[in-house]
Amino acid sequence: MALPLVLFDVNGTLSDMGRMTQHVEEIGAPPQLAGLWFATVLRDGFALTAAGENPAFRAVAEGALRVVLAGQVLNRDVDDAVAHILTAMQQLPVHPDVADGIRGLTAAGFELAALTNGAATTASGLLERAGVRDAFAAVLSVEDGPGWKPAAGAYTHALAALGRGADDVVLVAAHPWDIDGASRAGLRTAWLNRDASPYPSAMVPPDHEVAQLGDLLSALRT
Amino acid sequence: MALPLVLFDVNGTLSDMGRMTQHVEEIGAPPQLAGLWFATVLRDGFALTAAGENPAFRAVAEGALRVVLAGQVLNRDVDDAVAHILTAMQQLPVHPDVADGIRGLTAAGFELAALTNGAATTASGLLERAGVRDAFAAVLSVEDGPGWKPAAGAYTHALAALGRGADDVVLVAAHPWDIDGASRAGLRTAWLNRDASPYPSAMVPPDHEVAQLGDLLSALRT
């Protein structure tokens, strides 16, 4: 039986968004704003997607950042603060489990790709800094498709670019909304649940659940 | 010239979501979780809408609440905490500017209606407690349409129920994503910006912007 292609989400799944709390503190804001900001970015991007648009991730991220920073006392002016945060977002590391997990999948013969709601250049830069860019056959962005994940068209556009059928691809993501959307589009799914979080009951559950990327290889073999 | 129908969003636009910080503190959690929770509810609801679903607000709200409470030290078990928060959400007051603002519009001859992503019964209960339910010709929910706002179908379904054309309705909301979606669906829009927040650059700007509901009457007459 041929191995499925393993398609990775990027922001938060491979990149360590937890590092953003430190960067938010650097501009004098409460560290909790990092989580609120990222939820707000996705909320606004999904809203625009639901309304039929396909906005640029960076534009949505900047707009949401200016909203969550409004009324906060910062240690610099707001334009400098926004530039600091958006630059930091471009320079995130991967999670500690990523590099070895990726190499284990490659060694076992799996073809890998990535599909991000962000820019393909940002995702490629992340993978290059982590030394694993060569392990990915393709780094795709929804920028080239009809809308953000979890709209069905985001996944089907990626499947066409990869030349694979939906049931021949496993979407790996840390976000239940991505698992849900991929599952509705027909893909197989694996939820990377690093912090033992509950799964939202309104969403389609994953085919596999792993606590770290190193556990994915054995999960996909069962 | 006939007056446009004024169509109000409910959660946060009429109801005072700021009160939720107090209820979050009552279960022993950090007050900032209230804002994160509401952004997460909308994020997940919009994700499901973008994926073609029309989930029940309460199911999404509960699922998101269990996710944001995970790992928090609470002063009761998590099921009790969830019940406390969801009950409080059903018992919110309206913002202080709402009752007089609504009466001013009615006195000036405007027909009013509401369109909520939540349950119609929750919205009706809110308006009844505030003594303004009689001012609304209809209290509509996206439950009866194809998906949550800001999907175009949510607005066009409401227009059909109201028997009005898109350019004969002004959508009033505190949320830019609702203004953006309504505008893309052809409605006129008024942004209720109570906290002098910046407007996200990726979204269609409102036709009118007011700082409190009492300012809406004169804005609609210009």
Side-chain angles (χ1 to χ4, degrees), chain A residues 13-87:
Chain A
T13 296
L14 298 179
S15 69
D16 188 354
M17 294 287 298
R19 300 293 183 96
M20 291 308 299
T21 59
Q22 168 192 333
H23 299 300
V24 164
E25 285 187 304
E26 286 161 5
I27 62 169
Q32 302 90 335
L33 275 189
L36 176 62
W37 172 51
F38 194 53
T40 302
V41 173
L42 295 174
R43 180 198 69 188
D44 287 358
F46 296 167
L48 285 157
T49 299
E53 298 297 305
N54 186 13
F57 187 89
R58 190 184 169 91
V60 176
E62 177 170 346
L65 185 55
R66 290 181 183 277
V67 171
V68 301
L69 292 181
Q72 296 291 330
V73 177
L74 306 175
N75 60 19
R76 62 196 78 193
D77 76 35
V78 70
D79 289 336
D80 287 351
V82 166
H84 184 80
I85 295 296
L86 294 180
T87 299

Side-chain angles (χ1 to χ4, degrees), chain A residues 43 46-47 53 66 150 184 198, chain B residues 43 46-47 53 66 150 184 198:
Chain A
R43 180 198 69 188
F46 296 167
E53 298 297 305
R66 290 181 183 277
R184 293 183 196 276
Chain B
R43 180 197 69 187
F46 296 167
E53 297 298 305
R66 290 182 183 276
R184 293 182 196 277

